[in-house]
């Protein structure tokens, strides 16, 4: 089958795709496709019996119903690189209970940066606008904005608002995300106590992976007595209500 690169815009609940039919489309050649950006747009192909066009037609617009997508902002995470293991993300929901970053400052891949928040959108971003705190850049992917934070104290919540994020066809957005900073809070319950100590002990000498990276609080790529001692040292600290 012919393959045509086409562009489109989001309009209401649909993506409108304009396809030049002179590029091999015509009678008996319905439009088929399943994916727009990273979401399933519709199931099955077009109706071959009723939705075919002659090569004489220069352009047709096809409205693809959106699939399972909650909005232009897909996710926000706090990312750190665990030495020798790789990147692991703390998910930051935009409604309470907020995500809690329990790992030490640093290890963000950028010198002098304590924490890194990554906003991921459903389409490529042409401008990340300005950040209410920290510095923002269009990275690491074209549909992401990264906010670098430095000097945010432990035992606090930080809210970052991006003003003027521009996405073609989707318009201008002003998304926000909140992150709690509480070193040693491995179980993310907004306080550090014996539960966190016990949880960290239970993961000692285990390989760091997506199920236990929170217990590697010093982000050195292993879970051992150093992590246990660090969590113990933060006992009885908590985030504000």
């Amino acid at each position: 089958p012919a393959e045509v690169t086409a562009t489109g815009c989001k309009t209401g609940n649909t993506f409108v795709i304009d396809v030049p039919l002179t590029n091999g489309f015509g009678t008996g050649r319905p439009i088929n496709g399943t994916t727009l950006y990273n979401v399933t747009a519709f199931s099955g192909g077009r109706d071959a019996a009723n939705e075919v066009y002659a090569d004489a037609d220069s352009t047709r617009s096809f409205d693809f119903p959106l699939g399972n997508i909650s909005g232009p902002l897909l996710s926000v995470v706090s990312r750190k690189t665990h030495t020798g293991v790789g990147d692991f993300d703390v998910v930051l929901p935009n409604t309470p209970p907020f995500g809690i970053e329990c790992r030490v400052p640093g290890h963000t891949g950028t010198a002098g940066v304590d924490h890194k928040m990554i906003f991921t959108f459903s389409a490529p971003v042409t401008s990340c606008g300005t950040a209410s705190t920290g510095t923002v850049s269009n990275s690491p992917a074209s549909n992401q904005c990264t906010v670098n934070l430095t000097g945010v104290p432990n035992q606090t919540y930080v809210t970052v608002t991006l003003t003027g994020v521009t996405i073609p066809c989707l318009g201008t957005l002003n998304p926000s995300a909140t992150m709690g900073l509480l070193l040693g809070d491995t179980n993310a319950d907004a306080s550090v106590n014996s539960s966190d100590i016990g949880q960290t002990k239970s993961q000692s000498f285990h390989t760091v992976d997506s199920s236990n990276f929170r217990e590697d609080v010093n982000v050195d790529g292993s879970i051992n007595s150093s992590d246990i001692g660090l969590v113990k040292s933060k006992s009885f600290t908590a985030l504000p209500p």
Side-chain angles (χ1 to χ4, degrees):
E3 181 175 335
V4 177
T5 299
T7 60
C9 291
K10 177 180 179 297
T11 302
N13 292 324
T14 63
F15 273 111
V16 179
I17 305 296
D18 292 330
V19 179
L21 295 182
T22 53
N23 290 355
F25 289 102
T27 304
R29 302 189 185 101
I31 300 298
N32 291 285
T34 57
T35 304
L36 296 174
Y37 295 111
N38 60 348
V39 298
T40 299
F42 69 104
S43 59
R46 308 296 283 182
D47 183 346
N50 300 313
E51 300 191 39
V52 294
Y53 303 96
D55 284 330
D57 294 327
S58 59
T59 303
R60 289 288 182 181
S61 292
F62 298 97
D63 296 344
F64 294 88
L66 286 175
N68 184 21
I69 181 170
S70 58
L73 179 62
L74 299 181
S75 68
V76 185
V77 300
S78 172
R79 178 169 297 172
K80 290 186 183 292
T81 302
H82 293 243
T83 302
V85 182
D87 294 342
F88 292 102
D89 297 339
V90 172
V91 177
L92 306 176
N94 59 8
T95 57
F98 297 119
I100 297 174
E101 177 56 82
C102 64
R103 299 168 291 182
V104 295
H107 302 270
T108 59
T110 304
V113 173
D114 292 337
H115 302 287
K116 180 170 290 187
M117 295 172 65
I118 299 176
F119 291 67
T120 300
F121 299 91
S122 60
V125 175
T126 56
S127 173
C128 287
T130 58
S132 58
T133 185
T135 59
V136 64
S137 62
N138 189 182
S139 64
S142 63
N143 67 324
Q144 294 178 318
C145 294
T146 294
V147 177
N148 291 327
L149 298 170
T150 301
V152 182
N154 191 41
Q155 294 182 249
T156 59
Y157 287 102
V158 58
T159 297
V160 175
T161 300
L162 299 182
T163 301
V165 176
T166 305
I167 301 176
C169 304
L170 297 182
T172 301
L173 313 172
N174 303 304
S176 294
T178 297
M179 174 172 64
L181 295 172
L182 185 59
L183 182 56
D185 184 17
T186 61
N187 64 4
D189 67 354
S191 65
V192 183
N193 50 41
S194 59
S195 295
D196 302 287
I197 297 169
Q199 182 170 300
T200 306
K201 284 182 177 179
S202 73
Q203 294 298 318
S204 290
F205 306 112
H206 288 204
T207 300
V208 176
D209 58 25
S210 60
S211 69
N212 64 8
F213 70 89
R214 293 185 66 91
E215 285 73 69
D216 182 21
V217 290
N218 64 6
V219 205
D220 68 353
S222 61
I223 304 172
N224 50 39
S225 59
S226 295
D227 300 290
I228 297 168
L230 182 52
V231 175
K232 283 182 176 179
S233 73
K234 297 300 179 181
S235 292
F236 307 113
T237 58
L239 284 165

